[in-house]
Amino acid sequence: TGPIMRIASRTMILAMLSLIVLGLSNIWPFYSSLRPFFLIVMVGGVALLVMIVREGFQGNADARWIAGGLGVVILVALYDILGALGYIPGWRQLITWAFTAFIFLLASIIARRYGASRGRLMDYARELEKARKHLEDYAANLEEKVETRTSELRQSLAEVQLLKETQDGDYFLTSLLTRPLIVDRNRSETVRTEFVVRQKKNFQFRHRKSELGGDICVTDNIRLRDRDYIAILTGDAMGKSIQGAGGAIVLGVAFQSLLQRSRIQDFQRSKDPETWLKDCMGELHRAFLPFEGTMMASVVIGLVDEATGEMYYVSAEHPPLVLLRDEQASFLDETDDMRKLGVPMNEGTRVSRCSLQPGAILIAG
């Protein structure tokens, strides 16, 4: 609306000045001085017409009305100028009536624009009134709304706490299942074993703290071919809380079952350490295969001869063992031929060996 309002205002001012000058033209002393004004009006009218036509081509309907009206005024002005100059016989002055009609046209456009603006202002005023009433209603019922919202939040918090307590209860029951499987049963007098387990998930259930995860450590004593060995296992099942605990339970139960059978079955006790480790890894791997990759575990399993300190061990994609001897730390064999337990198409088991001297410390983590 800005360009049209400016054009209409300027056109009206020019039209009013022209009417005043044309009124003065009827007074004889002023008539001779009006010829330059006629030429100025012609040039100014053409320039103004160009501006209005440009707005009209840009799709402004009011500009088209002004252009049409101004075109009529210019034609009438040309007629009067040519008649005043004596080129048209029988000339009669018509510009006054044309200007008057044109001014009424401009006035109607300005009035309609003002009415539209006033209508928008009224719409804004109504929206503001609605907003004011809404704010008044909100302020009047603010305490009630706050109380309602607080009640909803309390209810949601109670539901969340109930769900968390239920989840922690499941975690606690699962931790009770894993606890007997993480055990140090080594009773050797020559080889001492100890371990510490810190699971990923720590929680509290009814004032009892516990933890849950896929880490597992087991030590025990077995006898193979009339020689005493310390069996060790350290493993990490896939997952950080309940999933890892499930894998640790599978791994721990399968390993404990194998240890028990090695004590009571003669054909198990007749195996040499390397064969026993290979069979152990094969049995643990088959226990994880039914999960089809959704549950896996890395593991190190070893047998330490109590009399000689000779150690046999296998690794399934677990961090390498660290040997501390003579104040020097070194990794043992870092090559893994076997992937995690539960990986289909796993390669064969390779048994590694190392000799532990008195005072040596072996770290498996």
Side-chain angles (χ1 to χ4, degrees), residues 178-184 195 197 199 213 215-218 248 256:
T178 59
R179 195 172 300 168
L181 302 176
I182 303 175
V183 60
D184 183 5
F195 54 76
V197 177
Q199 303 286 9
D215 298 316
I216 182 173
C217 292
V218 180
Q256 292 290 348

Side-chain angles (χ1 to χ4, degrees), residues 182-196 217-222 229-234 302-306 311 356 360-364:
I182 303 175
V183 60
D184 183 5
R185 292 196 180 97
N186 175 31
R187 299 296 180 265
S188 172
E189 296 181 357
T190 58
V191 178
R192 183 167 58 90
T193 58
E194 60 182 28
F195 54 76
V196 59
C217 292
V218 180
T219 60
D220 208 338
N221 301 103
I222 62 173
Y229 292 90
I230 297 98
I232 63 172
L233 177 145
T234 176
L303 290 175
V304 181
D305 191 324
E306 292 190 40
M311 178 177 176
L356 300 180
I361 298 175
L362 187 69
I363 300 176

